[in-house]
Amino acid sequence: MPSRKRLLVLGSTGSIGTQALDVCRRSEELELVGLSAERSWEALVEQARAHRVGRIALVDEHAAARASEAWTDGEVLGGPEGLVRLVVESGADLVLNALVGSAGLGPTVATLGEGIDLALANKESLVVGGELVTALAEATGAQIVPVDSEHTALHQLIAGQPPGAVERLTITASGGPFRGRARSELEDVTVKEALAHPTWAMGGKITIDSATLMNKGLEVMEAHHLFGTPYDRIDVVVHPQSLVHGLIQLADGAMLAHLGPADMRIAISYALHGGESVDLPVAPLNLAAVGELSFEAIDLDAFPCLRLAGEAAREGGTAPCVLNAANEIAVHAFLEGRLRFLEIPEVIEHTLDELEREFSQWWTADRRDALRGGFDAVITQRST
Ligand code: NAD
Ligand code: MG
């Protein structure tokens, strides 16, 4: 039997993580070498036992201590450094990063820095550190394969085309639970209503991002970094059935679409099996029963998060990072009942404006001249 691919799953207790373990359980090709979670140590130890894994990491030190008392068949690493050690000492051929939020950037950098291929569900890594992450992958030769239904679709569609043939990318958005509502109808929505996603079952943060449409904004940045496509060639369209995941447009005007059931195991399996299609227990689409595929424009007035993300993306620099940080804090506050739904974009916009104002006050003519002088000195030194 050919040697199996050594796989490390980060964030294995989450929505993507547990579905990835289901894919692994069915695959002859994959060998799990490590698992991680933030603090849910009981679930992680159970996974380690079920999958006979020798090493696990828990970011929460207290949880790590509890796990090492309860589980003596392997090694438990603790803290954010433990998570990085799990990556760099794993000897893995592939790391699945299924952490949520900007906490995923460290493990992404550790993986690519080691030259290990990365199956990337943690889109926030690319939002906050896109240039750094893609430059690192290029420098070490590690591959980044997306785990996100729209980006998996685009990856597969683009792979079938000669270089330069693709003119535009389109990613679809379900529209979330509040599709079709006007802004005034979103004032009093509850956490429970926002968590009731019509087509996908996912972790809490991304489900709220889907209700505000921030998720699509993050995904546009994800696509930009993954495929090197300029922002003015990436489109978003609402498609409530969530069956067409992505489309590419070719020079002659033809569009190719990727369709499939709304089951993340398809995207996960694609990334874990190097882009190969393997057997999954997913019922194929019955198009006659589906009946209708519909598409709508986005309502940016009701869902300003997508506009804010677009502005931050075009501005570049630290703006996407600030946007993402403000969004993480605001979504967390909304989930805890400390913020109203429409206050999420308000917090983000205010944070972006404040930081820009502070920066423009700090960025005086003196500072600019001093910095320019410094650059000139370095360049003169290099050229002599
Ligand atoms: P989740 O909340 O269900 O799971 C997150 C996992 O990461 C858990 O194992 C948790 O223990 C761990 N974790 C959380 N915070 C951490 C921290 N600070 N440090 C270390 N570990 C931490 O999230 P999810 O829905 O599985 O999403 C994971 C990522 O995949 C997100 O970036 C999300 O946008 C992306 N994604 C998810 C889906 C989906 O269907 N769930 C689809 C597309 C993309
Ligand atoms: Mg997606």
Side-chain angles (χ1 to χ4, degrees):
M1 194 172 93
S3 67
R4 295 194 295 165
K5 199 188 282 181
R6 291 168 59 84
L7 171 70
L8 177 61
V9 177
L10 308 181
S12 59
T13 57
S15 163
I16 293 288
T18 48
Q19 293 180 84
L21 295 195
D22 183 53
V23 169
C24 283
R25 198 165 51 79
R26 300 168 194 279
S27 173
E28 299 266 295
E29 286 170 44
L30 301 168
E31 177 191 351
L32 269 176
V33 296
L35 303 169
S36 89
E38 185 184 25
R39 65 185 74 225
S40 43
W41 65 271
E42 282 160 309
L44 191 67
V45 164
E46 202 178 304
Q47 289 181 337
R49 287 202 176 106
H51 292 270
R52 300 174 187 279
V53 167
R55 241 178 168 206
I56 60 175
L58 283 144
V59 169
D60 183 285
E61 298 276 10
H62 178 70
R66 299 289 302 273
S68 35
E69 281 163 23
W71 183 63
T72 48
D73 300 340
E75 192 184 358
V76 181
L77 302 168
E81 328 72 56
L83 183 56
V84 170
R85 266 187 66 201
L86 184 73
V87 174
V88 299
E89 296 172 5
S90 63
D93 302 306
L94 180 66
V95 171
L96 168 63
N97 183 348
L99 263 55
V100 62
S102 50
L105 180 64
T108 285
V109 169
T111 301
L112 298 173
E114 290 299 306
I116 305 173
D117 289 345
L118 178 65
L120 187 60
N122 180 260
K123 63 191 82 180
E124 294 91 345
S125 290
L126 287 172
V127 172
V128 304
E131 280 88 10
L132 166 79
V133 166
T134 48
L136 190 58
E138 209 162 291
T140 62
Q143 299 290 316
I144 306 175
V145 183
V147 176
D148 202 345
S149 52
E150 303 77 3
H151 305 74
T152 301
L154 293 175
H155 192 274
Q156 202 163 359
L157 289 166
I158 292 169
Q161 296 301 319
V166 178
E167 298 257 304
R168 301 189 70 80
L169 309 180
T170 300
I171 58 177
T172 58
S174 70
F178 306 132
R179 180 180 64 86
R181 290 204 199 184
R183 187 181 164 78
S184 58
E185 295 170 300
L186 294 173
E187 260 159 30
D188 299 318
V189 298
T190 63
V191 172
K192 195 171 166 217
E193 287 170 319
L195 282 174
H197 197 279
T199 48
W200 294 98
M202 309 178 285
K205 195 253 175 187
I206 183 177
T207 305
I208 301 304
D209 284 348
S210 301
T212 62
L213 291 198
M214 178 56 89
N215 185 47
K216 260 341 106 171
L218 303 182
E219 289 188 352
V220 168
M221 293 188 237
E222 183 185 8
H224 165 77
H225 292 296
L226 283 169
F227 307 116
T229 310
Y231 284 117
D232 58 5
R233 291 209 237 152
I234 306 175
D235 302 313
V236 177
V237 68
V238 173
H239 165 55
Q241 295 84 13
S242 296
L243 297 175
V244 176
H245 305 297
L247 305 98
I248 58 173
Q249 186 191 308
L250 306 178
D252 58 7
M255 288 183 99
L256 308 184
H258 182 292
L259 284 81
D263 188 321
M264 279 308 290
R265 290 177 303 174
I266 299 173
I268 295 167
S269 176
Y270 176 86
L272 299 190
H273 292 98
E276 267 178 45
S277 177
V278 302
D279 254 357
L280 281 179
V282 173
L285 281 185
N286 177 339
L287 289 175
V290 167
E292 192 181 326
L293 298 175
S294 58
F295 300 92
E296 304 164 8
I298 304 260
D299 178 354
L300 289 179
D301 181 52
F303 301 100
C305 281
L306 185 56
R307 172 180 58 80
L308 292 170
E311 287 167 7
R314 283 182 178 81
E315 192 178 326
T318 52
C321 193
V322 172
L323 169 108
N324 184 73
N327 182 55
E328 284 187 20
I329 302 284
V331 168
H332 188 64
F334 173 72
L335 283 169
E336 287 187 340
R338 290 186 284 114
L339 202 69
R340 281 147 47 112
F341 187 73
L342 286 179
E343 288 172 335
I344 297 174
E346 282 175 23
V347 166
I348 298 166
E349 187 152 28
H350 183 73
T351 309
L352 284 163
D353 288 349
E354 272 299 296
L355 285 178
E356 196 182 310
R357 195 179 52 75
E358 277 180 28
F359 181 73
S360 58
Q361 278 171 3
W362 176 87
W363 189 234
T364 56
D366 284 355
R367 283 207 163 91
R368 195 175 49 227
D369 291 347
L371 200 66
R372 219 171 255 163
F375 274 136
D376 287 349
V378 171
I379 289 165
T380 316
Q381 220 175 14
R382 286 259 170 86
S383 53
T384 50

